[in-house]
């Protein structure tokens, strides 16, 4: 059947949306760097452009361009935009009567998550996702696909930077801090939901080790919400070195491929998606040994927080976020986000007998895994 003119033009617009999609990423990055979500919050959640400008440190030469950034981000749902009564006299700095109507920009449910200082703030995550090291790796993707290496070869990140993200974090202190802060902010966000929605996961657990637990944000939140759980964190030396002492959480520097300390429960949040199936089996085997030693016979468990791609309960947005994260994992580590069947295979190979998936954390699920 012939394509109608409307369909053709719709398809063209779709292509432009996608080919210029990187500008959405960088506009979001710019808004966070300029402190726009915090500025709108200070203005009571919404502000006219002149009011917004008066609170931002923007060079004079760039002030006329802020409206363009705000307009684009409002179309994408990052901010709200409400046309102000056109009969009202224009505020200083806004167009005179007869020019474009003035607009009040406000925080949307999306940008509320970027406001700092009140609960979880995901701005550090956004800055990591659009960090120069990640963007430079993404520029290599077309070449990466075309190049035939030995075996599976190296991921696009290593092709761009000559080392893995963990290698880079080991000596580039700025990148290390960016990653740890970003993961910490994701954990703060998740922890509030886990504590509220998944409390029963920690019933009967007396000790928990958060393997690859980063700066201890999740472990600290669990220790605070469930005082009967003694929490510790295992992570690489360059991560543990940057952590300030906590009363409620113990920190250990080490390699989870070598040793996982004994505990009733092992938590792996956003860790396994960084590894191949083969490495996941190795990590989970170490975790199974840790709970075999740490818990009463058969009472231990491993708790995984990661994506389970393709659950029928997920929205199109969640699916899109998951497949984008999957591409990111491929680019960074040649690892992946997994569907349930893939998880199941890994769990059985690592010697576990059964598991329970609760797809209640948006893009992520909480999986309990039993020996
Ligand atoms: N669980 C944290 C951090 C996830 S990022 C959170 O969700 O916020 C993955 C973590 O795994 C990083 O902190 C990284 O340093 C850690 N990691 C990577 N390789 C490791 C290894 N071999 N042993 C222990 N931790 C490791």
């Amino acid at each position: 059947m012939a394509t109608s003119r409307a369909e053709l033009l719709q398809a063209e617009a779709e292509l432009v949306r996608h080919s210029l999609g990187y500008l959405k990423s960088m506009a979001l990055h710019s808004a966070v760097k300029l402190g726009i979500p915090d500025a709108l919050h200070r203005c009571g959640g919404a502000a006219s452009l002149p009011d917004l400008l008066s609170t931002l440190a923007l060079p004079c030469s760039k002030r006329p361009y802020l409206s363009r950034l705000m307009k684009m981000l409002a179309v994408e749902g990052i901010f709200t935009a409400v046309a102000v009564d056109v009969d009202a006299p224009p505020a200083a700095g806004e167009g005179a009567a007869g020019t474009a109507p003035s607009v009040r920009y406000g925080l949307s449910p999306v940008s509320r998550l970027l406001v700092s200082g009140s609960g979880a703030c995901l701005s550090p995550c956004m800055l990591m996702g659009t960090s120069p090291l990640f963007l430079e790796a993404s520029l290599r993707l077309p070449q990466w696909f075309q190049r035939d290496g030995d075996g599976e070869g190296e991921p696009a990140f290593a092709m761009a930077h000559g080392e893995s993200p963990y290698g880079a974090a080991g000596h580039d202190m700025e990148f290390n801090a960016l990653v740890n802060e970003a993961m910490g902010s994701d954990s703060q966000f998740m922890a509030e939901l886990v504590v509220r929605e998944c409390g029963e996961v920690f019933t009967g657990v007396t000790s928990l080790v958060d393997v690859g637990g980063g700066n201890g944000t999740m472990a600290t939140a669990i220790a605070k919400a469930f005082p009967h759980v003694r929490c510790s964190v295992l992570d690489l030396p360059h991560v543990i070195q940057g952590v300030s002492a906590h009363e409620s959480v113990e920190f250990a520097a080490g390699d989870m491929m070598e040793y996982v300390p004994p505990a009733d429960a092992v938590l792996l949040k956003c860790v396994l998606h960084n590894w191949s199936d083969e490495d996941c089996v190795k990590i989970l085997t170490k975790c199974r040994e840790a709970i075999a030693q740490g818990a009463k016979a058969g009472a231990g468990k491993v708790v995984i927080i990661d994506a389970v791609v393709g659950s029928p309960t997920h929205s199109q947005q969640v699916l899109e976020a998951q497949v984008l994260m999957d591409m990111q994992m491929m680019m960074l580590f040649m690892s992946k986000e997994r569907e349930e069947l893939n998880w199941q295979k890994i769990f059985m190979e690592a010697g576990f007998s059964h598991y329970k998936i609760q797809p209640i954390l948006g893009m992520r699920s909480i999986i309990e895994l039993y020996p």
Side-chain angles (χ1 to χ4, degrees), residues 166 169 176 179-180 182-188 190 210-218 234-240 252-259 267-275 283 305 333 364:
Y166 297 136
N176 185 34
V179 172
N180 297 330
M183 293 316 299
S185 75
D186 180 68
S187 281
Q188 188 68 47
M190 279 279 116
D210 189 359
V211 170
N215 64 11
T217 305
M218 187 56 123
L234 174 79
D235 209 300
L236 294 172
H238 63 258
V239 176
I240 299 297
D255 181 351
M256 65 189 170
M257 294 292 184
E258 304 290 329
Y259 178 69
L267 175 64
L268 291 161
K269 173 184 167 291
C270 301
V271 170
L272 296 177
H273 72 164
N274 295 343
W275 298 90
I283 296 165
I305 299 179
F333 303 104
R364 267 69 70 86

Side-chain angles (χ1 to χ4, degrees), residues 155-214:
F157 187 96
M159 200 168 149
H161 304 295
E163 58 190 347
S164 73
Y166 297 136
H171 64 83
D172 177 342
M173 288 308 113
E174 205 181 315
F175 182 61
N176 185 34
L178 178 76
V179 172
N180 297 330
E181 212 191 316
M183 293 316 299
S185 75
D186 180 68
S187 281
Q188 188 68 47
F189 177 72
M190 279 279 116
E192 286 172 19
L193 289 169
V194 166
V195 163
R196 207 166 65 211
E197 309 286 334
C198 316
E200 83 290 348
V201 169
F202 304 98
T203 306
V205 171
T206 59
S207 58
L208 174 141
V209 53
D210 189 359
V211 170

Side-chain angles (χ1 to χ4, degrees), residues 244-264:
S244 45
H246 281 249
E247 301 148 16
S248 51
V249 174
E250 274 176 44
F251 287 87
D255 181 351
M256 65 189 170
M257 294 292 184
E258 304 290 329
Y259 178 69
V260 173
D264 277 353

